[in-house]
């Protein structure tokens, strides 16, 4: 894994190295988080919340960006021919990954460490200890994901590893999000400036263990904090050690079998039938050959390309986790019914946000592939409408993945609210998601599968998606308008649809101007 | 090669065939400060197999990329059947078939799926394209693998798929960059004969290669490029005569080599065995 990039001039512009822009994004997110929590009254509450966010983001980043690094059949090419032991190679890989985790964790936690140092007793010492605990927490989160992968490689049949790991991936995202939503839920019951009561739950919440460690440094060295700190250090050591040793010895053999199984793959009859069925779907939704080509190419890759699936499927775990949380907590109230009580956790809005957030996973993934050099064919073919290739790929995502997922959400939400309210709410969210998808595609204006996999691209786009939190203002405003008066509400919905159409038009213009200058430099 | 010689060669080609299939006019391409292709001028008539040779980094692939519209020339242009690839790329690309040097294709597809995709890109009727693709794959001896995902394919099998893709829309002009890479002897023979047959039907073939004996056998004309510039252009015999050498290989070496080959081999050999550094690898 190598995130370095030369400062290359492209059409007169200096390209900022991806690592730098990614670290800047993390530093901004970390800074915003630290500022938003500056009013918390005790170090435990502050560190609990910042550690939760940091651990969540680290785990999600490893899942989204680096998962293919942990277990990669491509390593067979290196291990099979060079005199490197399996353990050495695997350790080097994981160490390399942890180095990048250390960089992002530092960028993410440094602002909070400064706030802790200035805000609470202990000064520089407490800031320093905060940083050490934060790094340990992020390492543990990354190691936990690595462990999940290595366990899957051990447990599942090699032929089924690809499918299994995709579900493991989705489940991990689901579980992480569910856990992440629980923490702010505990705080938001009342004013943010109060401290969180330390109940018996602290023993089950890993971020609390690390927060306990930080509290030790501000003179609160009671036995519980000491135990929490010991638990934090011990768990981190155990998880990191397990991540390094679980499959390191047999990694070479496992990868060889994985690579071998991939070379024998034949398309099964059921897949062919399915392909024909979806090709018919392409005929319905696509207007020309270019769109159909993009649609069909993406359709096959979504089914067969392990890396692509790994990067996309976790997206579905996010809204489902919030839905489950909303169902348990009763927070999924009817958007057209009476207003929820003041201070209620906005589960519905969070569900909407994650539905919009899902598009981030798709927007950059559909333009990237290890086989990007094959995109020469798009440049040499007589295409009247190169834009159509990406439009077709986006249509596949929308009609094959997003739309059915929203239909599933409609069924699920109808358990919590009237069907008509759920349908209206999801329609608005769907339109917002399409808008977000168009905006993110503008930031990633490439033909399908035509870019090398740049491991920092999604993380950088995460900064952009944070801005899409603005979309939630739309969602809340429209819900409120609908509740107050149907006519005004429907006008607002119509305006939103117009806005989404305009963003699609803007995207196509941007793609057309971009693709007109594009060259194949592979 | 002097300007007069080049003019004479061009005139003789023009006399043989009045219509020009491929024309490069002052074709230049730079990457930053590096000029990969410097003012290449060529006219290739219909029905000719033109070998385009040069050492690594001479600018062959860059020329092909410019001629096929994959990259834009820094200056100058390429005409395909009289159509400017820069001005009217779509019209020109309809007449071109390409086999790139990289051999890259979307490996998660099966050969049939890949060829169907290429058919879509060339606006061919889907069923007809698939049927034709099936025939090509059978003729190339990989019909049994037409429903296998290409991840495990050898270079030769991929090359067969790429050649099938280049021929799928029956182009007038073929740009082939190392088309024999990875092919077995029998398939290579079939391809060489096929190229001759296609040329006899009036198709033009622009053939980039490092395999000089193949070029010597199948090409009507050879253009040698060195450091982005055309250093020789003519029939195989003309080049031999011009350099006073017995084979195309020797002629090529004389025109492009920048050092004493024997000395280089000796230095290499000594480096491998460690003698050059006073190290005895035998120990």
């Amino acid at each position: 894994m190598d995130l370095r990039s030369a400062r290359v001039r492209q059409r007169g512009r200096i390209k900022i190295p991806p690592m730098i822009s990614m670290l800047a994004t993390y530093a901004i997110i970390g800074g915003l988080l630290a500022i938003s929590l500056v009013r918390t009254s005790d170090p435990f509450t502050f560190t609990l919340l910042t550690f939760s966010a940091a651990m969540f983001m680290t785990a999600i980043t490893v899942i989204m960006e680096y998962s293919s690094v942990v277990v990669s059949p491509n390593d067979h090419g290196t291990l099979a021919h060079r005199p490197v032991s399996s353990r050495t190679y695997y350790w080097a890989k994981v160490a390399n990954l942890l180095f990048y985790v250390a960089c992002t964790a530092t960028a993410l936690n440094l602002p909070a460490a400064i706030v802790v140092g200035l805000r609470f007793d202990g000064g520089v010492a407490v800031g320093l200890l905060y940083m050490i605990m934060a790094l340990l927490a992020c390492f543990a989160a990354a190691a936990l994901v690595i462990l999940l992968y290595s366990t899957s490689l051990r447990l599942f049949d090699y032929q089924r590893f690809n499918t299994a790991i995709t579900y493991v991936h989705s489940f991990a995202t689901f579980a992480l999000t569910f856990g992440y939503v629980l923490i702010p839920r505990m705080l938001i019951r009342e004013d943010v400036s109060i401290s969180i009561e330390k109940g018996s739950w602290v023993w089950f919440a890993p971020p609390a263990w690390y927060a306990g460690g930080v509290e030790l440094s501000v003179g609160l060295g009671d036995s519980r904090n000491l135990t929490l700190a010991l638990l934090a250090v011990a768990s981190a050591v155990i998880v990191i050690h397990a991540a390094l040793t679980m499959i390191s010895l047999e990694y070479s053999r496992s990868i060889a079998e994985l690579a071998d199984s991939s070379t024998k793959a034949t398309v099964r009859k059921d897949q062919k039938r399915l392909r024909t069925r979806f090709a018919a779907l392409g005929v319905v939704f696509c207007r020309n050959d270019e769109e159909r080509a993009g649609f069909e190419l993406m359709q096959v890759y979504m089914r067969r390309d392990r890396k692509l699936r790994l990067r996309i499927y976790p997206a579905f775990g996010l809204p489902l986790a919030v839905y489950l949380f909303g169902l348990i907590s009763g927070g999924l109230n009817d958007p057209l019914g009476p207003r929820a009580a003041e201070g209620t956790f906005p589960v519905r809005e969070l569900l909407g946000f994650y539905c919009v957030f899902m598009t981030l996973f798709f927007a950059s993934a559909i333009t990237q592939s290890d086989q990007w050099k094959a995109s020469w064919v798009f440049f040499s073919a007589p295409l009247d409408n190169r834009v159509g290739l990406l439009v077709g790929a986006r249509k596949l995502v929308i009609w094959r993945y997003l739309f059915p997922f929203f239909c599933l959400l409609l069924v699920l939400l109808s358990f919590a609210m009237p069907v008509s309210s759920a349908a209206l709410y999801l329609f608005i969210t769907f339109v917002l998601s399409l808008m977000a998808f168009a905006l993110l595609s503008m930031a990633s204006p490439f033909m399908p599968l035509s870019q090398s996999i740049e491991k920092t691209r999604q993380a950088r786009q995460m900064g952009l998606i944070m801005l899409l939190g603005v979309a939630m203002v739309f969602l809340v405003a429209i819900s409120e308008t609908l509740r107050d008066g149907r006519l005004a509400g429907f006008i607002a919905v119509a305006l939103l649809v117009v806005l989404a159409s305009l963003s699609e038009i803007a995207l196509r213009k941007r793609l057309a101007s971009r693709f007109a200058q594009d060259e194949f430099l592979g | 090669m002097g300007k007069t010689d080049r003019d004479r060669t061009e005139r003789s080609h023009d006399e043989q065939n009045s219509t020009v299939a491929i024309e490069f006019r002052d074709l230049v391409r730079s990457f930053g400060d590096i000029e990969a292709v410097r003012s290449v001028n060529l006219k290739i008539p219909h029905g000719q197999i033109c070998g385009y040779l040069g050492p690594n980094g001479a600018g062959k692939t860059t020329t092909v990329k410019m001629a096929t519209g994959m990259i834009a020339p820094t200056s100058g242009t390429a005409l395909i059947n009289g159509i400017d690839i820069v001005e009217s790329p779509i019209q020109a690309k309809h007449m071109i078939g390409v086999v790139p040097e990289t051999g890259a294709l979307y490996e998660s597809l099966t050969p049939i799926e890949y060829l169907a995709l290429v058919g879509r890109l060339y606006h061919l009727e889907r069923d007809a394209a698939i049927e034709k693709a099936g025939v090509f794959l059978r003729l190339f001896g990989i019909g049994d693998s037409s429903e296998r995902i290409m991840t495990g394919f050898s270079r030769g099998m991929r090359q067969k798929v790429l050649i099938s893709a280049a021929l799928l829309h029956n182009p007038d002009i073929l740009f082939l960059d190392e088309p024999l890479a990875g092919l077995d002897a029998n398939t290579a023979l079939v391809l060489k004969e096929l190229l001759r047959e296609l040329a006899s039907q009036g198709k033009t073939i622009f053939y980039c290669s490092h395999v000089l004996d193949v070029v010597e056998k199948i090409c009507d004309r050879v253009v040698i490029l060195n450091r982005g510039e055309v250093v020789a252009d003519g029939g195989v015999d003309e080049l031999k005569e011009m350099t006073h050498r017995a084979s195309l290989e020797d002629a090529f070496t004389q025109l492009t080599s920048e050092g004493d080959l024997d000395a280089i081999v000796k230095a290499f050999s000594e480096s491998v065995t460690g003698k050059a550094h006073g190290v005895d690898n035998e120990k």
Side-chain angles (χ1 to χ4, degrees), chain B residues 11-163:
Chain B
R11 261 201 312 280
S12 69
H13 289 311
D14 286 354
E15 281 158 17
Q16 283 169 17
N17 201 326
S18 57
T19 52
V20 176
I22 305 169
E23 183 178 354
F24 298 156
R25 284 186 189 162
D26 292 318
L27 208 53
V28 174
R29 173 68 197 211
S30 304
F31 295 100
D33 300 332
I34 301 161
E35 212 168 38
V37 175
R38 303 174 189 181
S39 196
V40 169
N41 286 285
L42 276 183
K43 280 183 183 174
I44 304 168
H46 284 286
Q48 191 173 73
I49 304 180
C50 177
Y52 199 59
L53 312 180
N56 293 332
K60 301 185 300 296
T61 300
T62 305
T63 311
V64 171
K65 282 184 179 173
M66 283 190 282
T68 55
M70 289 193 223
I71 60 173
T74 305
S75 66
T77 192
L79 305 181
I80 304 296
N81 276 343
I83 296 161
D84 192 324
I85 189 84
V86 179
E87 297 290 318
S88 312
I90 295 164
Q91 221 181 332
K93 285 176 185 179
H94 270 292
M95 293 177 270
I96 295 172
V98 189
V99 174
E101 184 201 24
T102 57
L105 35 68
Y106 285 115
E107 293 168 14
S108 297
L109 303 180
T110 65
I112 283 286
E113 286 167 347
Y114 182 74
L115 293 171
L117 172 77
V118 172
R120 279 250 189 262
L121 298 177
Y122 283 86
H123 310 290
L124 304 180
E125 204 271 310
R126 187 178 164 81
D127 290 340
I130 289 176
E131 196 185 328
K132 198 170 178 182
V135 173
F136 285 171
L137 295 174
R138 272 198 303 281
L139 289 172
F140 272 131
I142 54 168
D144 291 345
S145 303
S146 63
E147 288 294 353
R148 258 181 66 193
I149 294 164
M150 294 190 281
T151 322
F153 274 25
S154 66
R155 175 73 205 265
M157 287 167 88
R158 288 171 203 211
Q159 198 70 1
K160 289 173 185 179
V161 177
L162 285 169
I163 295 166

Side-chain angles (χ1 to χ4, degrees), chain A residues 98-137:
Chain A
L98 291 179
F99 167 75
Y100 285 107
V101 168
C103 293
T104 52
T106 306
L108 192 62
N109 290 295
L110 195 59
I114 294 167
V115 169
V116 165
L118 295 173
R119 173 92 170 72
F120 304 108
D121 297 336
V124 178
V126 71
L128 204 62
L129 190 72
Y130 176 94
M131 225 28 233
I132 292 167
M133 292 310 266
L135 285 173
L136 207 57

